[in-house]
Amino acid sequence: HRVDRRQRQMCIRDSFMLDILTPTECPSCDYSLESVNNILYCRNILCPAQSTKKIEHFAKTLKIKGLGPATVKKLGITEIHELYYLEEDTIAELLGSERLAKKLFAELINSHDAPLNRLLPAFGIPLIGQTATNKLAFVCKNLEDIEYDTCIQAGLGPKSSASLCDFILYESHNIAKLPHDMVFKAPAQLTSTSGTVCITGKLNSYKTKAEATKVLNSLGYEVKSTVTKDVTILVNESGIESAKVKKARESGVTIITQLSDLTGE
């Protein structure tokens, strides 16, 4: 019988529709998966796939060149601290190249002076990135100073603070095996000469808020993520009436819809 074009397209679409079952176990270690914001996580700290990725992430964050997936596999290591127990001749034997071994060994030696600001994000701790560790650097001098209360004092949220403290508690024996001095490098204090700005919603003038923040900082503006009492300007290029906009309006904060009003671009 005759089938019109739309019906024919629907038939073709339906014929290719498959039921996709969400996996419940990690394909690497068979550990039960946990769904967080529609993303599946394996929480097994002994998962072999995680071990490799953690080492790769550590190397990438500290900018240790030459530690890709193939190299990590050849080295046969499963823990980050094992990187620093490798001798140059051992690396040469495992990689089959003295030239590569010399370069990698030098990279590892150079990474010894990485401050806690960079080291902590390299561990892949949930909710702990460069922004969080820079905040900590204002109130902590070293690893021993990191406690739940000091995390909160630094401006970290309850979940971030708990995540970091749990990591330090359970991984302290591995952290102690690293050659780093575990000291924070205090970031330069940001002085606001032009005002304090908060950005809400999606920007049209910049791809990311990080780019906009860098420009605003260069012009003497301090940028905060929430509408605090010292915020003088709220940028709302999206035009959405968010909670930040309402709070800013109630507090008498100046609201602008074009960031160029500040940057002059």
Side-chain angles (χ1 to χ4, degrees):
H1 63 281
R2 184 178 178 180
V3 180
D4 62 28
R5 183 178 179 183
R6 184 178 178 184
Q7 288 176 314
R8 188 162 59 249
Q9 289 176 336
M10 291 178 66
C11 290
I12 294 173
R13 183 200 64 186
D14 292 342
S15 66
F16 283 98
M17 289 183 67
L18 300 173
D19 290 332
I20 300 177
L21 300 177
T22 303
T24 58
E25 297 178 344
C26 174
S28 179
C29 66
D30 296 327
Y31 198 81
S32 296
L33 296 175
E34 178 183 345
S35 179
V36 180
N37 296 328
N38 295 322
I39 299 177
L40 296 174
Y41 291 91
C42 172
R43 301 300 190 187
N44 180 14
I45 60 174
L46 299 178
C47 177
Q50 286 194 54
S51 298
T52 300
K53 289 298 180 183
K54 283 180 180 179
I55 295 172
E56 290 177 35
H57 176 74
F58 182 85
K60 183 178 180 180
T61 305
L62 294 191
K63 298 181 179 180
I64 303 174
K65 298 178 181 178
L67 266 178
T71 301
V72 174
K73 185 176 181 180
K74 288 180 180 179
L75 293 176
I77 54 179
T78 58
E79 296 289 345
I80 291 172
H81 67 265
E82 293 176 349
L83 283 170
Y84 297 98
Y85 287 84
L86 293 169
E87 298 292 341
E88 185 175 340
D89 56 349
T90 303
I91 297 175
E93 183 180 350
L94 293 171
L95 299 184
S97 171
E98 292 185 2
R99 180 179 62 85
L100 292 177
K102 185 176 182 179
K103 287 185 176 181
L104 179 55
F105 190 73
E107 290 283 336
L108 291 171
I109 295 297
N110 290 335
S111 71
H112 285 193
D113 61 357
L116 268 179
N117 312 48
R118 292 177 56 205
L119 194 61
L120 288 176
F123 290 132
I125 309 169
L127 305 177
I128 302 299
Q130 192 69 61
T131 300
T133 54
N134 282 340
K135 288 181 179 179
L136 282 169
F138 284 114
V139 298
C140 299
K141 292 183 179 180
N142 49 46
L143 191 70
E144 287 71 26
D145 289 342
I146 299 178
E147 298 177 350
Y148 184 84
D149 289 341
T150 55
C151 289
I152 296 297
Q153 181 185 349
L156 275 65
K159 291 183 179 179
S160 301
S161 301
S163 178
L164 178 56
C165 291
D166 286 346
F167 176 83
I168 294 175
L169 176 63
Y170 294 112
E171 293 292 327
S172 58
H173 59 293
N174 286 325
I175 296 174
K177 297 175 183 178
L178 292 170
H180 305 81
D181 57 14
M182 302 298 163
V183 174
F184 280 105
K185 178 181 179 182
Q189 288 280 354
L190 186 62
T191 57
S192 173
T193 58
S194 302
T196 304
V197 179
C198 177
I199 301 173
T200 182
K202 187 177 180 181
L203 289 171
N204 300 319
S205 53
Y206 290 89
K207 291 182 179 180
T208 65
K209 290 182 181 179
E211 291 181 7
T213 298
K214 186 175 181 180
V215 173
L216 287 168
N217 289 162
S218 69
L219 295 173
Y221 290 97
E222 182 179 1
V223 180
K224 295 201 170 182
S225 58
T226 57
V227 181
T228 58
K229 62 181 180 180
D230 52 341
V231 169
T232 55
I233 302 169
L234 179 73
V235 179
N236 181 27
E237 289 191 341
S238 66
I240 298 174
E241 190 73 6
S242 65
K244 289 182 181 179
V245 174
K246 293 178 181 178
K247 183 176 180 180
R249 187 173 289 111
E250 292 171 357
S251 303
V253 174
T254 300
I255 301 174
I256 62 174
T257 57
Q258 296 293 330
L259 193 55
S260 59
D261 291 345
L262 298 180
T263 62
E265 297 176 348

